[in-house]
Amino acid sequence: MVKSQNAKKLCRIYLCIMLLAFSCFGGLSGCGVQSESAEPGETTDKPGISVTFFDVGKGDAILVETKNHCMLIDSGFDDTAETILDYLERENIDRLDYMLITHFDKDHVGGADHILEAVEVGEVLQPDYESDAKQYREYMDTMEKMQISPRPVTETLCLSLDEAELLVYPPQRRDYKEEDNDFSLVVSMHCGEKSILFAGDSEKERLEELLDQQEFPLAHDILKVPHHGRKEKNSKEFLLAVMPETAIITCSKENPPDQEILQLLNQLGTKTYLSTEGTITLSYNGKELKISQ
Protein backbone atom coordinates (compact mmCIF):
# COMPACT_ATOMS: atom_id res chain seq x y z
CA MET A 1 0.00 0.00 0.00
CA VAL A 2 2.81 2.40 0.87
CA LYS A 3 4.63 1.59 -2.35
CA SER A 4 1.42 2.15 -4.29
CA GLN A 5 0.84 5.56 -2.66
CA ASN A 6 4.42 6.63 -3.30
CA ALA A 7 4.14 5.57 -6.92
CA LYS A 8 0.99 7.64 -7.33
CA LYS A 9 2.66 10.72 -5.79
CA LEU A 10 5.73 10.25 -8.02
CA CYS A 11 3.46 10.00 -11.04
CA ARG A 12 1.75 13.22 -9.95
CA ILE A 13 5.09 15.03 -9.85
CA TYR A 14 6.06 13.80 -13.33
CA LEU A 15 2.67 14.82 -14.74
CA CYS A 16 3.06 18.30 -13.27
CA ILE A 17 6.53 18.63 -14.82
CA MET A 18 5.21 17.47 -18.19
CA LEU A 19 2.38 20.00 -18.03
CA LEU A 20 4.86 22.76 -17.36
CA ALA A 21 7.14 21.61 -20.14
CA PHE A 22 4.32 21.63 -22.69
CA SER A 23 2.24 24.50 -21.30
CA CYS A 24 3.35 26.85 -24.07
CA PHE A 25 1.45 24.62 -26.54
CA GLY A 26 -1.84 25.00 -24.68
CA GLY A 27 -4.26 22.27 -23.78
CA LEU A 28 -3.45 22.22 -20.05
CA SER A 29 -5.37 19.66 -18.06
CA GLY A 30 -5.48 18.88 -14.35
CA CYS A 31 -3.31 16.29 -12.58
CA GLY A 32 -4.63 17.03 -9.11
CA VAL A 33 -2.27 20.03 -9.18
CA GLN A 34 -3.13 23.45 -10.56
CA SER A 35 -0.84 24.31 -13.49
CA GLU A 36 -0.65 27.60 -15.34
CA SER A 37 1.47 29.61 -17.76
CA ALA A 38 1.57 33.38 -17.49
CA GLU A 39 0.53 35.57 -20.39
CA PRO A 40 3.53 37.46 -21.81
CA GLY A 41 4.13 40.81 -20.13
CA GLU A 42 6.62 43.52 -21.03
CA THR A 43 9.78 42.03 -22.52
CA THR A 44 12.80 42.80 -20.37
CA ASP A 45 15.38 41.57 -22.90
CA LYS A 46 17.16 39.75 -20.09
CA PRO A 47 18.42 36.28 -21.07
CA GLY A 48 17.68 33.30 -18.86
CA ILE A 49 16.57 34.36 -15.41
CA SER A 50 17.58 36.82 -12.71
CA VAL A 51 16.47 36.83 -9.07
CA THR A 52 16.93 39.96 -6.97
CA PHE A 53 16.82 39.78 -3.17
CA PHE A 54 16.29 43.38 -2.14
CA ASP A 55 18.00 44.77 0.93
CA VAL A 56 14.91 45.67 2.96
CA GLY A 57 16.28 44.80 6.38
CA LYS A 58 14.84 41.77 8.17
CA GLY A 59 12.16 41.29 5.54
CA ASP A 60 11.61 39.60 2.20
CA ALA A 61 11.18 41.24 -1.19
CA ILE A 62 12.33 39.07 -4.08
CA LEU A 63 11.90 39.80 -7.78
CA VAL A 64 12.06 36.97 -10.33
CA GLU A 65 12.65 38.15 -13.91
CA THR A 66 12.66 36.13 -17.12
CA LYS A 67 12.67 37.38 -20.70
CA ASN A 68 8.94 38.06 -20.80
CA HIS A 69 7.75 37.80 -17.21
CA CYS A 70 8.19 39.21 -13.72
CA MET A 71 7.09 37.85 -10.37
CA LEU A 72 7.45 39.50 -6.96
CA ILE A 73 7.68 37.23 -3.93
CA ASP A 74 6.79 39.32 -0.86
CA SER A 75 7.02 43.10 -0.60
CA GLY A 76 9.14 43.99 2.43
CA PHE A 77 8.05 46.62 4.95
CA ASP A 78 5.74 49.57 4.41
CA ASP A 79 8.68 51.99 4.53
CA THR A 80 10.92 49.95 2.19
CA ALA A 81 8.49 49.76 -0.75
CA GLU A 82 10.39 52.58 -2.49
CA THR A 83 13.43 50.29 -2.77
CA ILE A 84 11.37 47.95 -4.96
CA LEU A 85 9.56 50.69 -6.86
CA ASP A 86 12.81 52.52 -7.65
CA TYR A 87 14.21 49.34 -9.17
CA LEU A 88 11.05 48.68 -11.21
CA GLU A 89 11.13 52.23 -12.57
CA ARG A 90 14.83 52.04 -13.35
CA GLU A 91 14.35 48.78 -15.26
CA ASN A 92 11.18 50.03 -17.03
CA ILE A 93 9.04 47.32 -15.44
CA ASP A 94 5.42 48.47 -15.21
CA ARG A 95 3.75 45.07 -14.90
CA LEU A 96 4.15 42.05 -12.65
CA ASP A 97 2.61 38.81 -13.85
CA TYR A 98 2.33 37.65 -10.25
CA MET A 99 2.74 39.07 -6.79
CA LEU A 100 2.99 36.24 -4.29
CA ILE A 101 2.71 37.04 -0.59
CA THR A 102 4.08 34.12 1.40
CA HIS A 103 2.33 35.19 4.64
CA PHE A 104 0.96 38.30 6.30
CA ASP A 105 3.71 39.49 8.65
CA LYS A 106 4.52 43.19 8.17
CA ASP A 107 8.02 42.45 6.81
CA HIS A 108 6.47 40.45 3.93
CA VAL A 109 3.18 42.21 3.16
CA GLY A 110 4.02 45.75 4.33
CA GLY A 111 4.89 47.20 0.93
CA ALA A 112 2.21 45.34 -1.04
CA ASP A 113 -0.35 48.18 -1.08
CA HIS A 114 2.25 50.57 -2.55
CA ILE A 115 3.26 48.05 -5.23
CA LEU A 116 -0.37 47.43 -6.21
CA GLU A 117 -1.00 51.16 -6.57
CA ALA A 118 2.12 51.77 -8.66
CA VAL A 119 2.27 48.91 -11.18
CA GLU A 120 -0.14 46.55 -12.91
CA VAL A 121 -0.31 43.11 -11.26
CA GLY A 122 -1.73 40.21 -13.25
CA GLU A 123 -2.57 38.00 -10.26
CA VAL A 124 -2.06 38.12 -6.51
CA LEU A 125 -1.35 34.80 -4.81
CA GLN A 126 -1.54 34.38 -1.04
CA PRO A 127 -2.05 31.74 1.68
CA ASP A 128 -5.56 30.86 2.78
CA TYR A 129 -5.89 32.58 6.16
CA GLU A 130 -6.65 36.01 7.56
CA SER A 131 -4.83 38.42 9.85
CA ASP A 132 -5.88 41.36 12.00
CA ALA A 133 -2.54 43.17 11.56
CA LYS A 134 -2.52 46.75 10.27
CA GLN A 135 -0.38 46.06 7.18
CA TYR A 136 -2.61 43.17 6.16
CA ARG A 137 -5.71 45.37 6.42
CA GLU A 138 -4.06 48.08 4.29
CA TYR A 139 -3.12 45.45 1.70
CA MET A 140 -6.64 44.03 1.57
CA ASP A 141 -8.23 47.50 1.51
CA THR A 142 -6.05 48.46 -1.46
CA MET A 143 -7.07 45.37 -3.41
CA GLU A 144 -10.74 46.03 -2.68
CA LYS A 145 -10.34 49.65 -3.81
CA MET A 146 -8.67 48.50 -7.03
CA GLN A 147 -11.14 45.65 -7.53
CA ILE A 148 -8.44 42.99 -7.34
CA SER A 149 -9.42 39.56 -6.05
CA PRO A 150 -6.46 37.74 -4.47
CA ARG A 151 -6.19 34.03 -5.09
CA PRO A 152 -5.71 31.85 -2.00
CA VAL A 153 -3.40 28.92 -2.78
CA THR A 154 -4.99 25.87 -1.20
CA GLU A 155 -3.35 23.11 -3.22
CA THR A 156 -0.05 22.69 -4.96
CA LEU A 157 0.17 25.14 -7.86
CA CYS A 158 2.50 24.87 -10.87
CA LEU A 159 3.45 28.01 -12.78
CA SER A 160 5.58 28.59 -15.88
CA LEU A 161 7.54 31.79 -16.55
CA ASP A 162 9.44 31.24 -19.80
CA GLU A 163 12.26 28.80 -18.90
CA ALA A 164 11.44 28.93 -15.19
CA GLU A 165 9.10 26.35 -13.70
CA LEU A 166 7.69 27.03 -10.24
CA LEU A 167 5.81 24.89 -7.76
CA VAL A 168 3.96 26.71 -4.98
CA TYR A 169 3.45 24.45 -1.95
CA PRO A 170 0.77 25.69 0.48
CA PRO A 171 0.49 25.00 4.22
CA GLN A 172 -1.17 21.68 4.99
CA ARG A 173 -2.95 22.63 8.23
CA ARG A 174 -5.59 25.12 9.30
CA ASP A 175 -3.72 26.13 12.46
CA TYR A 176 -0.16 26.17 13.79
CA LYS A 177 1.49 27.04 17.06
CA GLU A 178 3.46 29.72 15.20
CA GLU A 179 0.67 31.49 13.36
CA ASP A 180 1.60 33.60 10.32
CA ASN A 181 5.12 32.20 9.86
CA ASP A 182 4.07 28.58 9.46
CA PHE A 183 1.34 29.59 7.01
CA SER A 184 4.13 30.54 4.59
CA LEU A 185 3.73 29.55 0.96
CA VAL A 186 6.93 27.78 -0.13
CA VAL A 187 8.14 28.10 -3.72
CA SER A 188 10.38 25.63 -5.54
CA MET A 189 11.75 27.04 -8.79
CA HIS A 190 13.73 25.26 -11.51
CA CYS A 191 15.41 26.88 -14.48
CA GLY A 192 17.58 24.65 -16.61
CA GLU A 193 19.98 22.85 -14.31
CA LYS A 194 19.55 25.26 -11.38
CA SER A 195 16.95 25.22 -8.63
CA ILE A 196 15.98 27.68 -5.91
CA LEU A 197 13.88 27.06 -2.81
CA PHE A 198 12.11 30.07 -1.29
CA ALA A 199 11.17 28.89 2.20
CA GLY A 200 9.35 31.97 3.49
CA ASP A 201 9.40 32.19 7.29
CA SER A 202 8.82 28.48 7.87
CA GLU A 203 9.36 27.45 11.47
CA LYS A 204 9.42 24.01 13.12
CA GLU A 205 5.97 22.68 12.15
CA ARG A 206 6.17 23.95 8.57
CA LEU A 207 9.69 22.56 8.23
CA GLU A 208 8.32 19.20 9.40
CA GLU A 209 5.77 19.36 6.58
CA LEU A 210 8.48 20.12 4.05
CA LEU A 211 10.60 17.23 5.29
CA ASP A 212 7.64 14.82 5.15
CA GLN A 213 6.02 15.92 1.87
CA GLN A 214 6.56 14.10 -1.42
CA GLU A 215 5.29 16.80 -3.77
CA PHE A 216 8.84 17.78 -4.80
CA PRO A 217 12.45 16.89 -3.92
CA LEU A 218 13.85 19.12 -1.17
CA ALA A 219 17.38 19.19 -2.57
CA HIS A 220 18.01 22.58 -4.26
CA ASP A 221 21.09 24.43 -5.47
CA ILE A 222 20.07 27.71 -3.84
CA LEU A 223 18.10 28.28 -0.63
CA LYS A 224 16.39 31.39 0.66
CA VAL A 225 16.96 30.42 4.27
CA PRO A 226 13.68 30.28 6.22
CA HIS A 227 12.76 32.88 8.84
CA HIS A 228 15.77 35.14 8.31
CA GLY A 229 18.20 32.55 9.64
CA ARG A 230 16.43 31.71 12.91
CA LYS A 231 17.35 28.28 14.28
CA GLU A 232 14.68 25.63 14.87
CA LYS A 233 14.99 22.19 16.43
CA ASN A 234 14.84 20.63 12.97
CA SER A 235 16.92 23.23 11.12
CA LYS A 236 19.86 20.85 10.77
CA GLU A 237 17.67 18.09 9.34
CA PHE A 238 16.12 20.58 6.92
CA LEU A 239 19.46 21.99 5.73
CA LEU A 240 20.85 18.48 5.26
CA ALA A 241 17.85 17.63 3.10
CA VAL A 242 18.21 20.76 0.95
CA MET A 243 22.03 20.65 0.75
CA PRO A 244 22.30 24.07 -0.94
CA GLU A 245 25.43 25.21 -2.72
CA THR A 246 24.35 28.82 -2.09
CA ALA A 247 22.24 30.31 0.69
CA ILE A 248 20.63 33.74 0.92
CA ILE A 249 19.67 35.10 4.34
CA THR A 250 17.48 38.20 4.48
CA CYS A 251 18.37 39.92 7.73
CA SER A 252 19.46 43.18 9.34
CA LYS A 253 22.33 44.22 11.56
CA GLU A 254 19.86 44.59 14.42
CA ASN A 255 18.44 41.12 13.70
CA PRO A 256 21.29 38.95 12.40
CA PRO A 257 20.94 35.22 11.67
CA ASP A 258 21.65 32.76 14.46
CA GLN A 259 25.27 31.67 14.60
CA GLU A 260 24.20 28.02 14.68
CA ILE A 261 22.64 28.41 11.23
CA LEU A 262 25.76 30.07 9.84
CA GLN A 263 27.89 27.30 11.31
CA LEU A 264 25.66 24.58 9.84
CA LEU A 265 25.83 26.18 6.40
CA ASN A 266 29.59 26.51 6.70
CA GLN A 267 29.89 22.83 7.61
CA LEU A 268 27.89 21.94 4.48
CA GLY A 269 30.28 24.00 2.36
CA THR A 270 27.48 26.40 1.43
CA LYS A 271 28.39 29.87 0.18
CA THR A 272 26.22 32.21 2.24
CA TYR A 273 25.15 35.77 1.43
CA LEU A 274 23.54 38.15 3.92
CA SER A 275 21.31 40.98 2.72
CA THR A 276 22.89 43.25 5.36
CA GLU A 277 25.73 43.60 2.86
CA GLY A 278 23.36 44.91 0.19
CA THR A 279 20.90 43.70 -2.45
CA ILE A 280 21.80 40.30 -3.92
CA THR A 281 21.21 39.37 -7.57
CA LEU A 282 21.45 35.91 -9.08
CA SER A 283 21.72 35.71 -12.88
CA TYR A 284 21.56 32.45 -14.81
CA ASN A 285 21.77 32.15 -18.59
CA GLY A 286 21.32 28.40 -18.78
CA LYS A 287 25.04 27.75 -18.49
CA GLU A 288 26.59 30.08 -15.94
CA LEU A 289 25.30 31.30 -12.59
CA LYS A 290 26.51 34.72 -11.47
CA ILE A 291 25.93 36.25 -8.06
CA SER A 292 26.49 39.94 -7.41
CA GLN A 293 26.06 42.05 -4.29
Side-chain angles (χ1 to χ4, degrees):
M1 177 64 70
V2 172
K3 289 183 179 179
S4 176
Q5 291 175 344
N6 289 341
K8 289 179 180 179
K9 289 180 179 178
L10 186 60
C11 179
R12 185 182 181 193
I13 294 170
Y14 286 143
L15 284 171
C16 184
I17 292 173
M18 290 176 67
L19 283 171
L20 286 167
F22 292 101
S23 61
C24 60
F25 296 102
L28 289 175
S29 59
C31 60
V33 177
Q34 302 173 67
S35 183
E36 300 180 2
S37 179
E39 293 296 326
E42 290 295 322
T43 301
T44 60
D45 293 327
K46 294 185 178 181
I49 187 170
S50 69
V51 184
T52 302
F53 299 80
F54 293 103
D55 177 10
V56 292
K58 189 196 73 66
D60 280 9
I62 305 161
L63 184 67
V64 178
E65 298 174 74
T66 65
K67 183 177 181 181
N68 298 300
H69 303 293
C70 290
M71 177 179 189
L72 183 67
I73 302 176
D74 288 328
S75 60
F77 293 92
D78 180 77
D79 61 1
T80 61
E82 284 302 318
T83 299
I84 306 166
L85 293 174
D86 286 347
Y87 178 91
L88 296 179
E89 182 177 5
R90 188 166 62 249
E91 296 297 315
N92 295 316
I93 298 171
D94 57 11
R95 185 181 192 276
L96 300 171
D97 295 281
Y98 298 101
M99 182 170 72
L100 183 149
I101 303 297
T102 61
H103 64 293
F104 301 135
D105 274 348
K106 64 182 180 180
D107 54 329
H108 294 256
V109 74
D113 54 335
H114 302 291
I115 304 297
L116 289 164
E117 291 173 340
V119 299
E120 179 186 354
V121 177
E123 187 166 27
V124 177
L125 305 174
Q126 64 182 39
D128 187 22
Y129 79 104
E130 296 179 352
S131 171
D132 58 2
K134 175 185 175 183
Q135 300 301 332
Y136 169 78
R137 294 197 305 271
E138 292 180 353
Y139 156 70
M140 294 299 290
D141 288 346
T142 299
M143 282 193 290
E144 182 178 357
K145 179 180 68 176
M146 301 183 69
Q147 298 183 327
I148 296 173
S149 297
R151 177 179 178 181
V153 180
T154 57
E155 61 180 271
T156 301
L157 173 65
C158 298
L159 304 173
S160 181
L161 305 177
D162 293 318
E163 297 91 349
E165 299 173 354
L166 299 90
L167 183 149
V168 183
Y169 181 64
Q172 302 298 294
R173 308 180 195 177
R174 296 301 302 176
D175 60 89
Y176 295 90
K177 292 179 181 178
E178 295 296 336
E179 293 188 356
D180 282 324
N181 285 343
D182 276 340
F183 281 112
S184 291
L185 296 176
V186 171
V187 180
S188 169
M189 182 173 73
H190 286 73
C191 184
E193 298 180 352
K194 295 298 179 181
S195 58
I196 306 177
L197 183 64
F198 305 92
D201 272 3
S202 300
E203 296 193 47
K204 181 177 179 293
E205 290 181 294
R206 186 71 166 125
L207 293 180
E208 286 176 357
E209 288 182 353
L210 291 169
L211 286 164
D212 291 341
Q213 59 80 31
Q214 297 185 42
E215 296 286 330
F216 63 96
L218 261 189
H220 284 72
D221 300 299
I222 302 157
L223 172 66
K224 201 294 292 188
V225 176
H227 200 198
H228 315 289
R230 297 277 76 80
K231 182 181 182 296
E232 299 293 334
K233 289 184 178 180
N234 51 359
S235 290
K236 182 175 182 179
E237 184 182 1
F238 176 73
L239 291 176
L240 285 171
V242 179
M243 285 296 291
E245 296 175 3
T246 304
I248 311 293
I249 302 180
T250 54
C251 54
S252 66
K253 292 180 180 179
E254 296 77 18
N255 296 279
D258 290 336
Q259 283 300 313
E260 294 92 335
I261 294 295
L262 295 176
Q263 290 168 3
L264 283 169
L265 290 168
N266 184 58
Q267 291 168 8
L268 292 175
T270 302
K271 175 65 174 177
T272 302
Y273 294 83
L274 308 182
S275 64
T276 49
E277 303 300 320
T279 291
I280 303 155
T281 301
L282 311 180
S283 299
Y284 180 62
N285 62 8
K287 297 180 180 180
E288 184 181 8
L289 174 69
K290 294 182 179 181
I291 304 176
S292 60
Q293 185 172 31

